[in-house]
Amino acid sequence: MAEGDFEIPWSPYIYKESNRYYASVVGVVDVKNGTFTVIPLKGSKYWPRVGDTVLGMVEGIELYGWTVDIRAPYPAYLPALSLLNRPVTAGEDLRRYLDVGDYIVAKVEVFDRTTNPILAVRGSDTGKVTDGTVVSVSPSKASRLIGRNRSLLNTLVSMTGCHLMVYPNGMIHMRCPSSAQEEAIKGAISLIEQESRISDLTEKVRRFIASKLGETDVSSSA
Amino acid sequence: MLAAQLRPRLIDERGLRTDGRRPDELRPMRIELGVLKNADGSAIFEMGNTKVIAAVYGPKEMHPRHMALPDRTVLRVRYHMTPFSTDERKNPAPSRREIELSKVIREALESAILTELFPRATIDVFMEVLQADAGTRLVSLMAASMALADAGIPMRDLIAGVAVGKADGVLVLDLNEAEDMWGEADMPIAMMPSLNKVVLFQLNGTMTPEELRQALELAKKGIAEIYQLEKKAIKEKFVEVS
Amino acid sequence: MSATSDRLQTIVSNVKKASILKALERGVRLDNRKPDEYRPLSITLGYAKKADGSALVKLGDTMVLAGTKLEMDEPFPDTPNQGNLMVNVELLPLAYETFEPGPPDENAIELARVVDRSLRDSKAVDLSKLVIIPGKKVWSLWVDVYVLDFAGNVMDASTIAAVAAIYNTKLPKVEVNGEEVKVLTERTDVTPLAYPVVTLTAAKIGNFVVIDPNLEEESIADAKLSISYTPDMRIVGIQKSLGGAIKLEEIPQIEEVTRKAASRLFSELKNTFGVA
């Protein structure tokens, strides 16, 4: 991709040999302001980044917290202290607050080579998921949705009236006014997941939803 | 049971091989990515009549924990031939050959995958030979490489490989089954072409040191051609060349 | 399934690793050898008295014992005029602290198959000499190589041991009456070995190449390249091992070093094998 010496933030998608930079995954090279990054096109795993807010599913209960599947190569841990804002009392059954199979939105607080990711519940945008539906796409697709291609995301929202939250680990939380819209948006997301080219995707999605719902925009803006 | 076969002529008067190819010609190839739903990455790679499917799971947490490595990923690699892949039924129990090839292929993948990125984790790579017609270890390795790319697992480069052989004294590229069985040498070699580095290299049979050097040159050309095809397959998810 | 493992569990300290590399920059190794120098080699023929042929080989601290056994058998249907050759290698638990008992693992299997290919493809073992009644009765030559002390470069030592054990094997005298074969206790002076074969293993450590790596050098090596030769310098086998890559242009360079070392090794073996 490049030759020489650059100051670029570390990424698992780039590696350097002697003075040459190579991409380590199939992706798109994004050149900006004299530096570059690689946006991966494929991959079903999420690479945890400290500061990201993710949606995961609780897969285990331990003495002082929960193990959460955030679709990363490693399982994440949410200390009970973080969710309850107080230490755990002896013999307390943590299942009352969060059980196996529950969805939880949390921030990645710690992650490095020596430890699995540790989560924290902090802020109004985190906490247990109590309503709506959760679907998943590949994390690389998700980052493209919330990255530059807002038009696609906006189309989904405006045409269906659903409330959508897309998380960088590929999880999508939706709250729809009715099941018809939910079906439509699920179908559209499925379409997005399968298509590899994103150029005419917005148009394809628009047509798909229109055919499902029989109308175009629910809101006034496109 | 088969009676002793008479050794056939491998190169005819026109210099063509038993399947009509010139000595430096590759067999037709077909690559398809993302063929399995469950696997994190998958691919089917065909070269002539050799067909292999590869699937990748991971990176994921390693169980049992005590077998994990603190500073890199554990690669678990299995090369296996289906019983119906060969002329005579092959016993499905792992043979010594499959065990050796699993090791050789794993070591090739170790040089390509950036295993330092995922300490304490494991990546599983499974390859099943569906049709065997010479070159199975290389086709398997390449199928695995494409499956890893399909899974988005960081690697130094794609892997491309080819077997160079000696048939009736002539160096030939991409051995077919007859040349594999009756030829004087079989040299499988695989590389990371962008880095000009060799990840798999074996020879059985005999060659002079001079022939070895010529064979390496011939392999380099074949590998460059295959590499172009692999890159094309990634861009298009599916590519066929005949 | 083949899995990455720290089977040897020798953690060579970073300080040691640095000093190995520094020494190589000056052209020496920590055991005072030159990069293309073999460790002291000793071969004792006939070590295991009940074997049909045997050899105890010491290469530096690596110790390997190979023994042969001849069994009367039928030939394979597609090779009626050839005897059978079977090579097995075992990495015994007594050879290294972390070796466990059990069937041969992938390392032992790889060793066996490489040694087998060197012997077979080179025609160093003349399988036609093992025929008793063509198409009906042949000798099966079982070669079992047992690694007793694992101290680096077991590959080369195993090849030498196998070749020496086969050389030490003398076919029994037989009396053939039509289809009946009677094996006598006397031996002929015919050995199944046509000529010796050697394997030379080179280890790539950073930008350096060393021949006959000892255990520490093997533990830090990026890749190993084992090349087998006949006395007339034909290449009869190549096996790259370990999980590192070698640059394409380095291969002919390494081959030149191994070939020269092979030539020296053959000279040394002349004492054991007579005319090589």
Side-chain angles (χ1 to χ4, degrees), chain A residues 160-215:
Chain A
T160 57
C162 293
H163 176 88
L164 262 191
M165 275 300 294
V166 180
Y167 294 94
N169 66 333
M171 300 298 262
I172 301 178
H173 179 221
M174 62 182 77
R175 278 192 226 103
C176 292
S178 77
S179 53
Q181 270 102 345
E182 191 173 297
E183 285 305 309
I185 211 172
K186 274 189 183 165
I189 289 173
S190 207
L191 191 67
I192 294 170
E193 177 77 325
Q194 280 165 37
E195 287 292 315
S196 41
R197 292 176 201 291
I198 210 157
S199 42
D200 49 353
L201 201 48
T202 311
E203 197 39 51
K204 273 205 181 100
V205 167
R206 188 182 290 275
R207 273 185 269 133
F208 175 84
I209 297 178
S211 72
K212 280 279 176 182
L213 297 180
E215 47 195 89

Side-chain angles (χ1 to χ4, degrees), chain A residues 15 24 44 47 74 113 116, chain B residues 40 116 118-120 155-156:
Chain A
Y15 76 95
S24 61
S44 53
W47 181 258
Y74 310 95
R113 292 177 61 77
N116 287 348
Chain B
D40 290 319
E116 327 81 72
F118 306 103
R120 300 169 295 113
M155 293 186 288
R156 294 190 166 80

Side-chain angles (χ1 to χ4, degrees), chain B residues 120-180:
Chain B
R120 300 169 295 113
T122 180
I123 296 174
D124 288 342
V125 182
F126 303 115
M127 296 154 288
E128 287 290 331
V129 178
L130 307 175
Q131 276 168 220
D133 192 15
T136 57
R137 82 197 66 181
L138 292 162
V139 177
S140 300
L141 176 57
M142 291 193 282
S145 166
M146 302 303 279
L148 288 160
D150 187 46
I153 290 176
M155 293 186 288
R156 294 190 166 80
D157 198 0
L158 297 174
I159 296 176
V162 77
V164 174
K166 200 161 77 165
D168 287 348
V170 177
L171 288 178
V172 289
L173 187 65
D174 189 14
L175 293 184
N176 60 36
E177 201 163 25
E179 292 160 344
D180 195 5

